[in-house]
Amino acid sequence: MSFVKYNDILETISMIQDENLDIRTTTMGISLLDCADANIDKSCSKIYDKICHHAENLVKTANSIGSELGIPIVNKRVSVTPISMLLGVSGGDPVKYALTLDKAAQTVGIDFIGGFSALVQKGFSAGDAELIDAIPEALAETNLVCSSVNIGSTRAGINMDAVAKMGVQIKRAAELTKDNQCIGAAKLVVFCNAVEDNPFMAGAFHGVGEADVVLSVGVSGPGVVRSVLSSMDDDAPLNEVAEAIKKTAFKITRVGQLVGSKAADALGVPFGIVDLSLAPTPAIGDSVAHILEEIGLEQCGAHGTTAALAMLNDAVKKGGVMASSSVGGLSGAFIPVSEDAGMIAAARSGALSIEKLEAMTSVCSVGLDMIVVPGETSPEVISAIIADEAAIGMINSKTTAVRLIPAIGLKSGEELNFGGLLGYGPVMQLKTESLAKMLT
């Protein structure tokens, strides 16, 4: 064995054991278009059978590959065709579809299933409005179902009727799950320019342009990037910092490519994409905010944060693209407040505001993510935040999203604790002036 190969092995072991490198998700995308039926019960039966058939061995295969390679594969998930498309054919109670998805997910043993979704950027077609109206009840009555709605795009503009609806639905989802940390709102994402091959929850759905069944992976390693930067001299030029990030992203992506290809081969399905997204966790050392501070910020949220994040996101994308021809999804840096120890600290201290987070979304890979807001926040204010975020995505031809959690019964400065990967977050202060006139 050559010294170079031996060094590569030791480096990968260090990334996994000391720097929190993991495969954040293996996600099987399954088309349900052939499950459409005028009878909703027959459609649900077809959906259950198809998911169970294709994803039967997903968890076992991912666990086997993780053990073989010594690489943690944290989540096993499924994404499906937006359910509003099937609802438009069958009619009936949309919650039946959600319960079917939840039952199938529990049967195959996955962590989450995404696709209780609607794409309404140009308007509502059959099934869309009905599904959106049912989202709060669907998320309250299921454990593993995630939901998303795409309300705008660069080509179509922003559907303001949908924006108004989603403010109401987010608040209602939180209210119906107030005894369970308002978890319903944490499983609901509103997009502009949603991508069809996103493997990350809660926004994953299987796009109509995708193959019948595909296997994609999402790989994450904020701790690896931070470790590399912390070993550099404090006076290292920014171009050297960017190059170090690119090289690290290259290595991380190659790990994802290896795992994804092996899993797809073992399951007998096409390999989809590698999504290299620096997705933080509340664990110490696994923070995107701390990477920005290694780049040179005194604290995340200070002036210069948007510039540092732009450099990070650009370098991650370039390094990933060089490592694999299958890079896709939302690749870049995520900034979910409750899931990032550095973001939590910055929000607690007042250094990080929702206005600054909104500016950061113009250059990160997604948008306003896992932000806890006061429980008294009105649906109109939530809709206003969605509209602002969608405008950034529409004008700049990028994916943006909103995942807000109104903490029912809590006020600014208090905290909501989800536990696990969703973490915990301080309730962030919002401007309360209404957008009601614009929405009506």
Side-chain angles (χ1 to χ4, degrees):
M1 180 180 293
S2 73
F3 178 75
V4 173
K5 289 183 179 178
Y6 184 68
N7 246 16
D8 288 344
I9 292 171
L10 290 178
E11 184 178 43
T12 302
I13 292 172
S14 176
M15 287 180 181
I16 294 166
Q17 292 184 345
D18 303 326
E19 298 159 8
N20 300 308
L21 173 65
D22 59 46
I23 302 299
R24 187 59 49 85
T25 181
T26 51
T27 301
M28 178 176 282
I30 301 175
S31 172
L32 300 182
L33 293 176
D34 57 348
C35 299
D37 196 289
N39 183 309
I40 190 170
D41 293 322
K42 290 182 178 179
S43 182
C44 287
S45 180
K46 292 177 185 178
I47 289 169
Y48 179 81
D49 290 344
K50 185 167 186 179
I51 293 171
C52 291
H53 170 70
H54 287 290
E56 178 184 12
N57 295 314
L58 175 60
V59 174
K60 182 174 72 174
T61 299
N63 289 340
S64 174
I65 291 172
S67 298
E68 177 190 345
L69 299 178
I71 299 171
I73 301 177
V74 180
N75 294 295
K76 299 86 183 174
R77 299 165 171 169
V78 167
S79 64
V80 299
T81 305
I83 290 297
S84 66
M85 295 181 178
L86 283 75
L87 183 63
V89 176
S90 69
D93 182 4
V95 177
K96 281 191 174 183
Y97 282 113
L99 293 171
T100 299
L101 294 178
D102 201 53
K103 181 183 176 183
Q106 292 184 40
T107 299
V108 300
I110 56 174
D111 303 287
F112 286 110
I113 185 164
F116 196 77
S117 307
L119 310 178
V120 297
Q121 58 270 23
K122 293 189 76 172
F124 300 103
S125 60
D128 289 335
E130 293 82 359
L131 181 133
I132 290 173
D133 289 340
I135 287 173
E137 287 74 17
L139 297 180
E141 294 183 27
T142 59
N143 295 314
L144 306 179
V145 173
C146 293
S147 180
S148 60
V149 178
N150 191 68
I151 52 84
S153 71
T154 297
R155 293 190 65 183
I158 301 171
N159 181 345
M160 289 301 290
D161 290 330
V163 169
K165 268 183 171 291
M166 291 314 300
V168 174
Q169 301 311 89
I170 290 172
K171 182 68 178 282
R172 182 69 176 148
E175 289 173 339
L176 290 182
T177 54
K178 64 182 179 181
D179 295 330
N180 188 21
Q181 290 77 46
C182 304
I183 195 68
K187 298 190 294 176
L188 173 57
V189 186
V190 184
F191 280 112
C192 179
N193 289 322
V195 298
E196 295 193 339
D197 56 0
N198 168 25
F200 284 97
M201 298 296 168
F205 63 87
H206 188 67
V208 295
E210 297 290 310
D212 190 52
V213 182
V214 298
L215 194 287
S216 297
V217 299
V219 61
S220 183
V224 180
V225 176
R226 185 192 181 192
S227 177
V228 168
L229 298 187
S230 66
S231 68
M232 299 180 70
D233 294 336
D234 287 343
D235 58 353
L238 281 179
N239 65 320
E240 292 184 12
V241 172
E243 284 302 312
I245 295 171
K246 289 178 194 174
K247 290 176 182 177
T248 306
F250 179 92
K251 295 172 184 176
I252 294 171
T253 305
R254 294 300 292 171
V255 173
Q257 176 85 31
L258 171 63
V259 171
S261 298
K262 284 182 72 69
D265 287 345
L267 291 165
V269 301
F271 176 55
I273 57 96
V274 178
D275 186 326
L276 170 59
S277 289
L278 299 184
T281 71
I284 300 300
D286 204 27
S287 162
V288 168
H290 289 157
I291 295 175
L292 302 180
E293 290 163 10
E294 288 291 349
I295 290 173
L297 300 176
E298 183 174 345
Q299 187 172 26
C300 181
H303 295 300
T305 298
T306 306
L309 181 59
M311 186 185 79
L312 173 64
N313 210 54
D314 180 68
V316 167
K317 286 180 179 289
K318 288 176 178 174
V321 167
M322 290 184 65
S324 171
S325 60
S326 302
V327 171
L330 298 168
S331 294
F334 288 179
I335 53 172
V337 175
S338 77
E339 299 174 13
D340 186 305
M343 298 277 179
I344 294 168
R348 279 176 173 167
S349 71
L352 185 64
S353 66
I354 195 162
E355 290 82 11
K356 186 60 182 177
L357 282 162
E358 184 180 294
M360 293 164 69
T361 66
S362 66
V363 297
C364 77
S365 62
V366 199
L368 296 171
D369 195 11
M370 289 303 293
I371 297 174
V372 184
V373 299
E376 62 190 10
T377 303
S378 70
E380 291 81 11
V381 169
I382 296 172
S383 292
I385 295 170
I386 293 170
D388 281 345
E389 191 62 18
I392 291 172
M394 178 190 68
I395 295 298
N396 293 292
S397 301
K398 74 177 293 289
T399 301
T400 53
V402 171
R403 184 160 50 150
L404 298 182
I405 301 92
I408 306 302
L410 299 183
K411 297 182 178 180
S412 176
E414 297 183 273
E415 293 197 355
L416 184 64
N417 192 334
F418 302 102
L421 286 176
L422 295 179
Y424 55 94
V427 180
M428 300 189 72
Q429 186 172 351
L430 299 179
K431 291 180 169 59
T432 57
E433 292 79 9
S434 174
L435 187 71
K437 182 177 179 180
M438 185 174 175
L439 291 173
T440 56

